[in-house]
Amino acid sequence: MNSPLVRGAPLAALLTPITALAAGDADIDTLRAELDAMRSQYESRIQALESRLSDAENAAEIARQAAGADALSLPMTAPRVLRAEGQSAPSGDRSGGRGGGLFGAVTSGSAFNPQISVILDGNYYQDDAEAGDGAALVGEAFWPGRSLAHEHGEEGDGHDHGDGGHVHNVAEPGFNFREAEISFTATVDPYFDAATYISIDGDGNVELEEAYFETRSLPYGLKVKGGKFLSGFGYVNDQHPHQWDFVDQNLPYLNLLGFHGLQDTGLQLTWVPDDLPFYALIGGEALQGNQEIFGATVNEAEQVALNLGQTQDGPRLFTAFAKVAPDLGRKHALQFGVSYAHADQQQQVRTHTHAVAHEHEEDHEHEDEHGHEHEEDHAHEEDHGHDHAHDEGQAHDEEHEHADHDHMHAQGDGITEELHETGLAGNADLWGLDLVYKYDAPKAYGQGDIVFQTEYLRSISDMKIRSSAHPEQIGTSRKYTTDGLYAQATYGFLPRWKAGLRYDVLGLTNKVSGGGRSEGFGSSDRWTLDVTWSLSEFSQLRAQYAYNDILVTENEREQFNAFYMQFLVSLGSHGAHKF
Amino acid sequence: MNRWLIALLALFAGPALALDLVATSPSMGALVRAVAPSAALTVLAGPDQDLHMLQAKPSMIRALRGADLVVAIGAELEVGWLPAATSSAANPAIQPGREGYFEAAAQVPLLDVGGTADRAQGDVHPAGNPHVDLDPMRMAQVAEALGERMARLDSANAAQYRRNAARFAEAVDSRMPGWQAQLADAPGVVLYHRDAIYLLERFGVPLLGTIEPVPGVPPSGRDLRNLAGKLAGHDGIIIHAPYQSPKGARKLGRELGWSVRMLPLEPPVSANGDGYLRHIDRWVSTIASAG
């Protein structure tokens, strides 16, 4: 191949400019055009090579991430953005080839690990309640349908009902660590998102707050959530404690639903309709019904002893809710909601005591006579040492006869105190109305922002007496109705500083129908003022003062001041909160 | 009568005719209008709102519910609300990872990438500085990528989207020499937050400092004194966004004898491609006015 022709070619190429010198203008133009063509050819080739190189880099990066190399050595390193500076519009084949990178979000969440965040929530608490138990009292206000009948599965008897120390997240005077809330969230696959929220309190008790999957690809604006989650009932119900504008939960939620609100296991279906001139959401849930207060059932031993029947198969709790929000522009938001919940089964044990004379034979004869004195006698009993005494001082049913499971306590003066238990079973309904308004001021760090939020709850328990010391009462119905509301507002009075005011009240209405009395009830209410300082997006300090007027038991009120200093810090990835 | 007819037509043929678009910010809205002038567009935030501090609102969810494409700045700028809003909107088409989700930051190289993921350094985002929308060159790239994306989603009008994107890129190219000339001798800028660095980097304007010592943390008196000491004798201008506290900026301006200007990072809500270019004009002339 060493022919003279081949050897001659480079020489000819070298000589080309020389011959070109001798050539005419037309030739020069032709040569220029050729050169240009060659240049553009080279450029496109170089571009092609560059894009192949960057593809290869991409592939290597993906492989490395899949192998976990990054996760091991540099856990928080962000995925690199691999576009070359000079690269112009992505050509068709690039965007068609790999969807993920191009359509995805640039994020510092590390590859394939869920987003993790930890929120620490602690406080210093003081009150001037008589026994220093103000934080417990606000959750034990006196209302007709109240029952502290817990069903905590196997550990039902392990609870100490004596001092309130078992009550979830109740602050004691002094320092309290309320919880470390650990959350993991991630997209599971193209079909599901999932989240887990675990709460660990200051004593190390671990509680699963939420663990659910959520669909992400259902059509027609439908969404299904399954697992354990906070119900979409109402507004504040699905907020975690660190999202609250005040340290503690409002009185109606705390007393009618419990510290966790409606938190249960089941399924939720929501629908966001399209093409409406306003935002709307309609949803419903079927939940197992393992509740602390609303729709609670008692433990097995009591079910047997009091003829209440077994806990029905779930789901026993059903909810339905709707939200509507007009479009008020970019700075204002207003949402109105209505919610309903029905518990198929609710069981309660109510106890009361009365004093009777020694001779048992006399009991029946004196029935009517001691009817009046017993009103006083069955007042709040703190230390009768009885396992089943969930509901001291609350029975308003006039039962005067012995039953097999009654208990006697000898007192002096020839008087015996008897503890009567009444078992009730039935169902319960809950109605909720909520309204939220938010104003987003165009100022630094929340200055000028306003949030107004109010909710009304009404709880109705419709039950029948299943066992009683007084046989004639068995089978009669008791309907307890109680309601409550809270209204609160926060205002950003300085950048990063927010003041809040809340009024909450329980028992605007207190009704007992079906033989019971409804006098002796009243309302419990509270005024709360707080100031929250957000040092950064990730830390908050809050001071809160509340004046409480709590109905502790029939005709017995306790007024006290309560003071909190709270810290909230957030570690890990940025959270995103719903409206 | 005609109007009714059009409304009826729009009702039945609406989705097929054009795209229903949502932009998180006015700059993204301007880009959408540059690429698809006739598309139905909702812009979620105004220029006086901090995109990083916004909260999800029902009206956003409503807009996202029927959207074919959501155009975000991305790189975690909208992390506090957009994921919540898109998730609540129950619209599979616009979830991240799908064709209907577009992030400007994913289309261009980012600055401030990496760095320590240590919040002692403030609200840092190791994925990179998200404020790409103040660099006109990057925005031209983003427009072309957006044109491609819209072409995929609405192939009937593909040629038009590509043409419009190219036209926007050309408009940027033609303005560049003028901007470069204006900023050639700019002494530098103090920002409140590192939110205009893409513009400064593009034109080689020095960033002399930031009012906040680290991202997301307000300055103390000492921070401001240190900054003033460092910059004494230097020329420059202080620029802050409407939602950033002017107090520190004014104090520093008084001490240094510099002018303090409030400039939104984002163009007006109604801006189109030209509006965006005018917005850059405004920034350029403001920076050039120093010294």
Side-chain angles (χ1 to χ4, degrees):
Chain A
M1 288 312 248
N2 222 357
S3 78
L5 195 72
V6 173
R7 263 181 281 151
L11 188 69
L14 281 173
L15 289 176
T16 305
I18 302 166
T19 48
L21 273 178
D25 284 352
D27 287 340
I28 290 173
D29 285 348
T30 327
L31 281 167
R32 235 179 228 147
E34 274 174 29
L35 264 174
D36 281 349
M38 275 169 73
R39 189 182 297 140
S40 71
Q41 215 179 349
Y42 276 127
E43 272 175 4
S44 66
R45 272 195 197 166
I46 286 168
Q47 258 185 4
L49 280 171
E50 272 178 351
S51 104
R52 279 173 60 189
L53 179 66
S54 109
D55 275 8
E57 278 177 353
N58 272 343
E61 179 73 14
I62 287 162
R64 225 151 35 84
Q65 289 187 358
D70 269 5
L72 284 176
S73 53
L74 299 162
M76 284 294 287
T77 304
R80 278 166 53 213
V81 175
L82 293 154
R83 281 284 146 69
E85 170 86 43
Q87 189 194 340
S88 54
S91 54
D93 63 314
R94 276 185 62 89
S95 42
R98 252 178 281 102
L102 197 62
F103 302 148
V106 176
T107 164
S108 47
S110 43
F112 294 111
N113 282 334
Q115 287 191 47
I116 300 172
S117 81
V118 182
I119 288 158
L120 307 183
D121 177 353
N123 62 58
Y124 171 79
Y125 175 76
Q126 278 301 333
D127 66 46
D128 60 2
E130 265 173 50
D133 58 350
L137 285 181
V138 294
E140 293 167 8
F142 185 55
W143 54 284
R146 190 186 90 167
S147 165
L148 294 180
H150 282 253
E151 192 194 46
H152 280 248
E154 298 82 336
E155 8 170 304
D157 289 326
H159 276 291
D160 171 18
H161 285 247
D163 57 8
H166 75 287
V167 182
H168 308 281
N169 302 291
V170 166
E172 293 169 27
F175 292 110
N176 295 281
F177 185 81
R178 185 154 75 178
E179 63 169 7
E181 185 197 274
I182 305 168
S183 74
F184 304 87
T185 52
T187 296
V188 177
D189 57 19
Y191 312 108
F192 298 107
D193 290 327
T196 301
Y197 297 84
I198 297 161
S199 160
I200 304 170
D201 73 12
D203 297 326
N205 299 315
V206 179
E207 188 158 20
L208 187 62
E209 290 199 325
E210 290 194 277
Y212 61 82
F213 66 86
E214 218 176 3
T215 58
R216 63 193 328 258
S217 56
L218 287 185
Y220 310 117
L222 295 172
K223 216 167 170 165
V224 173
K225 194 192 241 188
K228 184 178 184 187
F229 55 87
L230 292 163
S231 165
F233 181 98
Y235 179 74
V236 84
N237 190 73
D238 68 1
Q239 292 187 350
H240 289 265
H242 69 87
Q243 292 170 260
W244 299 342
D245 284 326
F246 295 85
V247 179
D248 47 4
Q249 182 63 291
N250 63 72
L251 288 175
Y253 267 87
L254 193 57
N255 286 281
L256 300 178
L257 300 177
F259 180 81
H260 296 290
L262 288 180
Q263 177 196 52
D264 216 321
T265 305
L267 280 174
Q268 180 191 71
L269 175 70
T270 54
W271 178 48
V272 181
D274 198 4
D275 293 327
L276 289 177
F278 51 87
Y279 164 82
L281 176 137
I282 295 166
E285 291 156 349
L287 302 167
Q288 188 63 15
N290 290 332
Q291 288 296 309
E292 280 180 54
I293 296 174
F294 178 75
T297 51
V298 299
N299 67 34
E300 257 179 68
E302 284 171 327
Q303 285 175 341
V304 172
L306 296 165
N307 187 34
L308 292 174
Q310 290 178 340
T311 302
Q312 294 167 18
D313 290 348
R316 298 184 297 274
L317 180 61
F318 301 89
T319 71
F321 46 89
K323 311 269 175 224
V324 178
D327 199 337
L328 299 180
R330 295 182 183 84
K331 293 190 183 133
H332 303 266
L334 177 68
Q335 181 178 275
F336 176 75
V338 54
S339 310
Y340 169 71
H342 175 79
D344 259 354
Q345 188 178 24
Q346 173 155 302
Q347 296 177 339
Q348 283 186 3
V349 180
R350 292 166 169 263
T351 57
H352 63 281
T353 53
H354 34 148
V356 291
H358 256 318
E359 294 101 315
H360 285 236
E361 284 73 27
E362 281 182 25
D363 281 352
H364 297 287
E365 298 164 23
H366 288 280
E367 211 169 77
D368 290 332
E369 284 169 37
H370 67 231
H372 292 290
E373 77 188 70
H374 123 180
E375 277 174 30
E376 284 162 22
D377 289 337
H378 74 214
H380 207 65
E381 287 275 323
E382 279 297 355
D383 39 29
H384 44 70
H386 190 271
D387 271 342
H388 295 167
H390 296 298
D391 209 6
E392 315 92 305
Q394 276 198 65
H396 294 271
D397 310 304
E398 306 288 316
E399 299 125 15
H400 307 281
E401 271 188 82
H402 281 274
D404 286 342
H405 49 265
D406 283 354
H407 301 263
M408 316 265 283
H409 296 268
Q411 291 195 330
D413 313 330
I415 299 288
T416 302
E417 189 175 88
E418 295 176 0
L419 186 76
H420 285 182
E421 287 192 334
T422 308
L424 296 103
N427 57 52
D429 294 294
L430 183 72
W431 289 93
L433 292 173
D434 58 270
L435 183 142
V436 182
Y437 167 77
K438 290 189 185 181
Y439 171 66
D440 182 12
K443 288 187 179 166
Y445 301 111
Q447 187 179 13
D449 286 3
I450 295 168
V451 177
F452 175 77
Q453 171 182 335
T454 182
E455 285 190 74
Y456 173 80
L457 292 187
R458 188 179 186 89
S459 171
I460 303 134
S461 307
D462 196 352
M463 301 199 282
K464 277 194 163 61
I465 293 177
R466 301 290 284 272
S467 62
S468 167
H470 314 283
E472 77 280 2
Q473 301 260 350
I474 293 174
T476 59
S477 52
R478 292 285 183 279
K479 193 170 175 181
Y480 304 100
T481 306
T482 300
D483 63 357
L485 67 80
Y486 74 88
Q488 66 185 48
T490 63
Y491 173 68
F493 63 95
L494 277 175
R496 301 178 183 281
W497 287 83
K498 193 165 74 170
L501 177 66
R502 172 178 71 185
Y503 174 72
D504 47 353
V505 56
L506 178 77
L508 293 164
T509 308
N510 289 299
K511 281 197 288 197
V512 180
S513 68
R517 300 164 310 138
S518 44
E519 328 79 84
F521 294 109
S523 58
S524 298
D525 68 354
R526 171 168 69 170
W527 283 95
T528 312
L529 191 71
D530 78 347
V531 175
T532 307
W533 178 27
S534 304
L535 285 83
S536 77
E537 219 179 320
F538 307 100
S539 62
Q540 288 187 337
L541 296 177
R542 176 176 289 147
Q544 174 175 314
Y545 163 79
Y547 176 74
N548 302 266
D549 184 356
I550 305 294
L551 187 67
V552 183
T553 182
E554 212 176 330
N555 299 321
E556 187 187 326
R557 301 192 153 270
E558 186 149 357
Q559 280 109 356
F560 58 96
N561 302 288
F563 178 74
Y564 280 102
M565 284 288 296
Q566 184 193 26
F567 74 87
L568 277 169
V569 298
S570 149
L571 293 70
S573 61
H574 264 277
H577 291 314
K578 298 198 293 179
F579 179 74
Chain B
M1 286 302 263
N2 252 345
R3 202 183 283 169
W4 281 107
L5 204 68
I6 289 167
L8 262 178
L9 272 176
L11 201 65
F12 290 110
L17 267 177
L19 295 169
D20 188 346
L21 299 160
V22 173
T24 58
S25 73
S27 64
M28 293 298 113
L31 218 52
V32 166
R33 289 194 184 98
V35 176
S38 58
L41 171 69
T42 308
V43 178
L44 298 181
D48 54 357
Q49 289 173 300
D50 186 348
L51 284 167
H52 199 50
M53 305 302 283
L54 221 56
Q55 292 188 343
K57 280 199 265 295
S59 56
M60 295 173 177
I61 298 167
R62 188 188 71 85
L64 291 165
R65 165 67 179 89
D68 300 306
L69 176 65
V70 55
V71 182
I73 294 179
E76 299 184 340
L77 183 59
E78 298 103 336
V79 71
W81 55 279
L82 190 61
T86 32
S87 164
S88 301
N91 177 356
I94 56 158
Q95 304 297 326
R98 304 290 291 265
E99 273 183 5
Y101 181 83
F102 182 93
E103 251 189 31
Q107 319 300 325
V108 291
L110 300 183
L111 300 176
D112 296 348
V113 177
T116 49
D118 176 3
R119 293 239 169 89
Q121 304 300 311
D123 184 10
V124 291
H125 289 262
N129 186 314
H131 304 279
V132 294
D133 53 336
L134 266 181
D135 173 11
M137 289 297 277
R138 280 188 174 79
M139 281 290 269
Q141 281 185 60
V142 172
E144 294 192 309
L146 183 62
E148 282 304 319
R149 184 68 64 84
M150 289 193 198
R152 286 172 65 103
L153 289 167
D154 176 21
S155 49
N157 297 312
Q160 200 192 324
Y161 297 139
R162 292 196 178 104
R163 207 164 47 235
N164 290 338
R167 195 173 295 150
F168 176 78
E170 279 161 26
V172 169
D173 279 343
S174 68
R175 299 280 196 109
M176 281 300 287
W179 287 330
Q180 269 155 352
Q182 266 183 285
L183 292 178
D185 302 317
V189 176
V190 168
L191 297 170
Y192 186 92
H193 178 75
R194 292 174 66 83
D195 47 19
I197 62 161
Y198 285 90
L199 180 80
L200 302 183
E201 198 250 0
R202 173 63 62 195
F203 294 104
V205 178
L207 174 64
L208 301 173
T210 55
I211 304 277
E212 56 178 17
V214 294
V217 175
S220 65
R222 181 188 293 175
D223 291 327
L224 291 172
R225 278 195 300 279
N226 287 347
L227 193 57
K230 215 175 74 183
L231 298 174
H234 208 284
D235 271 339
I237 187 165
I238 303 165
I239 302 178
H240 67 90
Y243 49 78
Q244 291 163 349
S245 168
K247 258 171 56 187
R250 285 190 196 134
K251 193 174 168 202
L252 187 68
R254 269 197 309 276
E255 267 179 55
L256 292 170
W258 294 9
S259 57
V260 177
R261 293 287 296 276
M262 185 193 78
L263 265 189
L265 292 175
E266 298 284 325
V269 176
S270 59
N272 55 10
D274 289 337
Y276 171 78
L277 297 177
R278 278 197 296 277
H279 175 64
I280 298 297
D281 278 342
R282 211 174 147 197
W283 268 87
V284 166
S285 59
T286 304
I287 296 170
S289 74

